[in-house]
């Protein structure tokens, strides 16, 4: 069971061999005795003996054979889930959109956890549905972090001086920016992300220079009314050393994360992960046209988002522009 770890199962085996009851085992392990009794009842052998290794094997077998009644009994729901996964929608987006807008079409709703279980079930693996997920991982892993280098930035304003309403997403027009790097090539991708509307803009740049990055940000600014750009938050990369030019030209406030803390602009960092689904590190940017890049951008902007009530960013920002 999820709440019992390997060391817990080992203790249950040894304490039960000592002749202790489930209630006493629970007391010694500081766990509810019903959890202990249920674990023993589910995984003991016909003779009533409990073995840690047998328990692990039985648990794994049950997980492989776990059924998903809604998906098994409602073919329309199953096909809807598979279709949306293949359109690069996440399980959470599919489940949220179903609850709010599409449940009448398929006749039922489903939780994102059940969708994940289906993806990693034998049928889901046969269909290779995990390849539809953002990170394409064959198992569900915890997210890690990535460190970034620290540079000296002229006229740098710390993120700690940024008004609180920006962090709280109270106003449209506050952006984060980052560069995406690709293997063995100079071209990069300049990414801008609006915090409240979760809108993105992406442009290929020739290199990591500050001039190229500024040109890309200006292209992003030109796609929306000027009032849609009130501030930009950067990391400490050398591509951002000429931020003051944009600040003066467009009356923008510019802020910078602390060193080694890219999570302080987590919106654009997460956006980079979304984009990696379409733009892996080994892709050759020179082989992509502007139309190709725009198509990828709009695929992202037309995905429903939980934080927007399962509206898409393009739908949501219409009220502000």
């Amino acid at each position: 069971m999820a709440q019992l770890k390997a060391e817990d199962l080992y203790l249950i085996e040894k304490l039960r061999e000592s002749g202790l009851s489930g209630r006493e085992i629970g007391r010694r392990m500081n766990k509810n005795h019903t959890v202990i009794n249920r674990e023993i009842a589910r995984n003991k052998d016909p003779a009533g003996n409990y073995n840690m290794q047998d328990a692990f094997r039985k648990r794994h077998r049950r997980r492989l054979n776990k059924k998903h009644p809604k998906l098994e009994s409602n073919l329309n729901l199953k096909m809807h889930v598979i279709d949306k996964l293949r359109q690069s929608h996440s399980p959470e987006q599919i489940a949220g959109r179903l609850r709010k807008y599409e449940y009448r079409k398929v006749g039922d709703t489903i939780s994102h956890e059940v969708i994940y279980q289906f993806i990693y079930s034998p049928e889901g693996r046969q269909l290779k549905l995990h390849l539809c997920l953002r990170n394409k991982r064959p198992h569900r892993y915890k997210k890690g972090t990535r460190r970034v280098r620290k540079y000296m930035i002229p006229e740098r304003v710390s993120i700690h001086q940024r008004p609180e309403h920006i962090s709280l997403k109270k106003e449209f027009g506050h952006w984060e920016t980052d560069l995406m790097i690709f293997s063995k090539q100079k071209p990069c991708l300049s990414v801008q992300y609006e915090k409240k509307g979760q809108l993105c803009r992406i442009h290929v740049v020739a290199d990591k220079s500050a001039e190229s990055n500024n040109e890309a940000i200006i292209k992003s600014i030109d796609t929306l009314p000027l009032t849609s750009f009130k501030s930009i938050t950067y990391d400490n990369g050398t591509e951002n050393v000429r931020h003051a030019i944009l600040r003066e030209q467009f009356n923008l406030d510019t802020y910078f994360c602390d060193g080694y803390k890219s999570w302080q602009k987590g919106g654009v960092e997460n956006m980079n992960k979304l984009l990696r689904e379409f733009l892996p590190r080994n892709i050759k940017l020179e082989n992509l046209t502007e139309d190709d890049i725009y198509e990828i951008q709009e695929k992202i902007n037309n995905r429903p988002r939980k934080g927007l009530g399962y509206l898409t960013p393009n739908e949501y920002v219409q009220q502000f522009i």
Side-chain angles (χ1 to χ4, degrees):
M1 299 180 64
Q3 65 265 41
L4 294 176
K5 300 179 181 178
E7 55 267 31
D8 296 326
L9 303 188
Y10 177 79
L11 275 175
I12 291 173
E13 178 183 346
K14 295 305 176 185
L15 292 174
R16 197 158 187 271
E17 287 176 355
S18 301
L20 298 182
S21 67
R23 186 177 293 273
E24 181 59 27
I25 293 173
R27 187 177 296 115
R28 295 197 180 192
M29 294 178 60
N30 195 28
K31 294 187 181 294
N32 191 303
H33 69 277
T34 60
V35 173
I36 306 300
N37 287 334
R38 187 161 58 241
E39 169 64 22
I40 293 170
R42 285 167 64 98
N43 296 314
K44 65 184 179 182
D45 64 22
N49 300 314
Y50 179 87
N51 178 274
M52 172 187 171
Q53 292 183 346
D54 288 342
F56 264 121
R57 282 194 290 269
K58 289 178 180 179
R59 179 188 299 181
H60 181 64
R61 195 179 305 119
R62 282 196 298 270
R63 286 176 177 171
L64 290 179
N65 295 330
K66 191 170 184 179
K67 299 298 182 181
H68 310 288
K70 284 191 176 181
L71 293 176
E72 296 303 323
S73 62
N74 187 333
L75 183 59
N76 285 339
L77 179 61
K78 178 189 283 190
M79 297 310 298
H80 177 83
V81 168
I82 293 173
D83 181 56
K84 292 300 181 182
L85 285 170
R86 287 174 172 165
Q87 291 181 39
S88 301
H89 290 203
S90 73
E92 195 169 39
Q93 291 165 347
I94 296 168
R97 191 85 174 183
L98 270 171
R99 285 195 302 272
K100 297 202 70 171
Y101 305 112
E102 298 171 342
Y103 64 93
R104 291 187 181 88
K105 182 170 68 175
V106 297
D108 210 339
T109 61
I110 195 170
S111 73
H112 68 275
E113 180 59 33
V114 172
I115 297 176
Y116 274 114
Q117 291 172 5
F118 174 61
I119 290 169
Y120 292 108
S121 69
E123 181 179 358
R125 290 182 183 279
Q126 186 177 8
L127 295 171
K128 298 183 178 181
L129 294 180
H130 68 280
L131 297 178
C132 301
L133 297 177
R134 197 154 297 135
N135 292 314
K136 298 178 172 57
R137 291 171 176 162
H139 305 284
R140 297 172 71 180
Y141 297 111
K142 292 182 179 179
K143 294 181 179 179
T145 57
R146 181 172 62 88
R147 290 169 65 86
V148 293
R149 296 178 62 190
K150 182 179 179 180
Y151 297 95
M152 296 301 296
I153 307 291
E155 302 181 53
R156 180 184 181 279
V157 180
S158 170
I159 194 171
H160 299 292
Q161 296 177 252
R162 193 176 71 176
E164 186 178 10
H165 73 269
I166 297 179
S167 299
L168 296 176
K169 305 178 186 178
K170 297 292 186 182
E171 182 181 39
F172 180 78
H174 299 286
W175 295 73
E176 299 171 346
T177 187
D178 198 17
L179 275 187
M180 284 179 62
I181 311 301
F182 295 83
S183 300
K184 300 179 181 180
Q185 54 189 302
K186 289 182 66 176
C188 310
L189 195 73
S190 180
V191 183
Q192 286 74 54
Y193 170 85
E194 202 286 320
K195 290 171 63 63
K196 183 175 178 64
Q198 303 183 32
L199 193 70
C200 79
R201 292 290 184 262
I202 59 176
H203 303 280
V204 174
V205 293
D207 50 41
K208 294 174 62 177
S209 68
E211 293 80 4
S212 295
N213 194 44
N214 270 13
E215 288 175 7
I217 294 174
I218 290 172
K219 288 181 181 178
S220 294
I221 292 173
D222 288 342
T223 64
L224 294 165
L226 191 55
T227 53
S228 300
F229 284 81
K230 298 179 175 66
S231 78
I232 301 181
T233 299
Y234 299 85
D235 61 25
N236 296 282
T238 55
E239 71 274 8
N240 300 320
V241 297
R242 303 191 69 179
H243 69 100
I245 295 175
L246 298 181
R247 187 179 64 193
E248 297 300 324
Q249 183 175 350
F250 297 101
N251 194 29
L252 286 168
D253 294 321
T254 57
Y255 303 98
F256 286 81
C257 298
D258 297 330
Y260 307 110
K261 293 186 178 179
S262 58
W263 55 263
Q264 291 177 331
K265 54 178 182 65
V268 73
E269 293 290 327
N270 185 59
M271 180 57 62
N272 290 349
K273 293 179 183 179
L274 301 184
L275 290 167
R276 285 294 183 198
E277 180 177 350
F278 305 100
L279 297 166
R281 287 183 177 273
N282 60 356
I283 197 170
K284 295 296 182 183
L285 290 181
E286 62 187 19
N287 295 334
L288 300 178
T289 66
E290 288 189 10
D291 288 342
D292 294 331
I293 296 297
Y294 180 78
E295 182 180 350
I296 293 169
Q297 171 187 292
E298 291 310 293
K299 280 184 178 180
I300 298 292
N301 287 331
N302 286 316
R303 281 182 173 179
R305 304 294 177 85
K306 180 181 179 180
L308 305 178
Y310 295 100
L311 292 173
T312 69
N314 277 340
E315 291 170 341
Y316 184 81
V317 302
Q318 289 305 309
Q319 61 189 295
F320 303 109
I321 59 178

